[in-house]
Amino acid sequence: MPVFYGVEVASPLMLGTAQYPSPAILAEAFRASKAGIATVSLRREQGGGQDFWSLVQGLGARILPNTAGCHTVKEAVTTAHMARELFDTNWIKLEVIGHTDTLQPDVFGLVEAARILTGDGFQVFPYCTEDLTVCGRLLDAGCQVLMPWGAPIGSGLGINNAYGLRSLRAHFADVPLVVDAGIGLPSHAAQAMEMGFDAVLLNTAVAHAGDPAAMARAMALAVEAGRAAHEADPMEPRDMAAPSTPVIGKAFLS
């Protein structure tokens, strides 16, 4: 199971809590997913009030507050401090959005905010790109986890840059890595885990499914299958065919 900041979580599936049709469907989806971590936006919690907070506490998952929707360093840092007071945790998923249409992180602001928050005692989970230099700067800033995107948030496009993510996994072999955003299908989640990532974080693919609980269950199975496949040391792809039936002992007709 993945370990983040010295804490082992129950599952490599991390699930968001936004946009579900109802609180009851949210709870049902989480039960089906057996997710180890639930991400919660401070803005979402304020909208739902005490009833929503009580629901989240009953999900059986560790809470990871999120600075979703923040576009400046000051806004993200302030939101993180408010979240720590509200949720009583030093964990924070740090988002500093730089582009409105793609929701791509502002990597310059992200590194600055990460440095400030780690200095304030936070354990930061930065939502970032797969850029090796940016990720190195985030580690230098004190982050011990990296959360590169698979594709833009809510797009469901899956793994857009497999080469970049594989390079990141190889370069930071000992750092916990989570593919965050863009996962739309169980096959996308399985692919991320097959590549050796420690976990996947998704929300929209489950919340917007016709049957969120069924999709949550499918994602849980996909993550489990992907992790098992990675641990099995899969074969490397070949350019040419290789016979599966041995030639030795084959009968030859004259």
Side-chain angles (χ1 to χ4, degrees):
M1 294 301 171
V3 176
F4 303 121
Y5 291 101
V7 177
E8 184 178 72
V9 297
S11 166
L13 180 59
M14 305 163 68
L15 196 57
T17 56
Q19 304 179 351
Y20 288 84
S22 72
I25 292 176
L26 166 62
E28 184 184 9
F30 262 86
R31 285 194 297 269
S33 74
K34 299 180 181 179
I37 291 176
T39 61
V40 181
S41 167
L42 183 61
R43 288 176 173 81
R44 175 63 183 86
E45 198 285 330
Q46 288 176 324
Q50 188 60 42
D51 289 342
F52 179 75
W53 175 224
S54 298
L55 173 62
V56 168
Q57 286 180 306
L59 293 177
R62 188 179 178 96
I63 303 301
L64 176 61
N66 186 2
T67 65
C70 293
H71 287 76
T72 67
V73 172
K74 182 178 180 180
E75 187 181 14
V77 169
T78 300
T79 301
H81 279 276
M82 292 172 63
R84 181 160 65 180
E85 292 184 15
L86 181 62
F87 297 110
D88 190 28
T89 178
N90 286 327
W91 280 17
I92 191 72
K93 179 190 170 187
L94 178 61
E95 290 186 23
V96 182
I97 301 301
H99 193 275
T100 302
D101 291 334
T102 64
L103 300 181
Q104 179 172 325
D106 172 357
V107 296
F108 306 101
L110 183 66
V111 172
E112 182 182 350
R115 184 173 291 111
I116 293 169
L117 290 173
T118 54
D120 290 341
F122 283 88
Q123 295 174 322
V124 178
F125 294 67
Y127 163 65
C128 57
T129 65
E130 68 277 19
D131 185 280
L132 291 173
T133 302
V134 170
C135 289
R137 297 288 176 85
L138 287 168
L139 295 175
D140 291 342
C143 298
Q144 297 179 24
V145 179
L146 297 171
M147 303 182 73
W149 64 349
I153 294 171
S155 67
L157 292 172
I159 305 298
N160 268 4
N161 184 3
Y163 169 80
L165 290 175
R166 287 195 183 95
S167 298
L168 191 68
R169 177 71 283 176
H171 194 77
F172 298 113
D174 298 326
V175 177
L177 300 180
V178 181
V179 172
D180 175 17
I183 300 295
L185 294 170
S187 57
H188 301 156
Q191 181 184 5
M193 297 300 293
E194 288 169 4
M195 293 165 64
F197 281 79
D198 298 276
V200 297
L201 196 165
L202 55 96
N203 187 167
T204 308
V206 170
H208 286 193
D211 187 337
M215 182 59 75
R217 189 176 304 109
M219 290 293 185
L221 293 171
V223 167
E224 181 180 354
R227 181 180 61 186
H230 175 72
E231 292 175 350
D233 190 16
M235 64 173 284
E236 292 293 331
R238 302 186 180 103
D239 290 330
M240 298 294 290
S244 58
T245 302
V247 175
I248 297 176
K250 179 179 177 182
F252 289 90
L253 302 178
S254 58

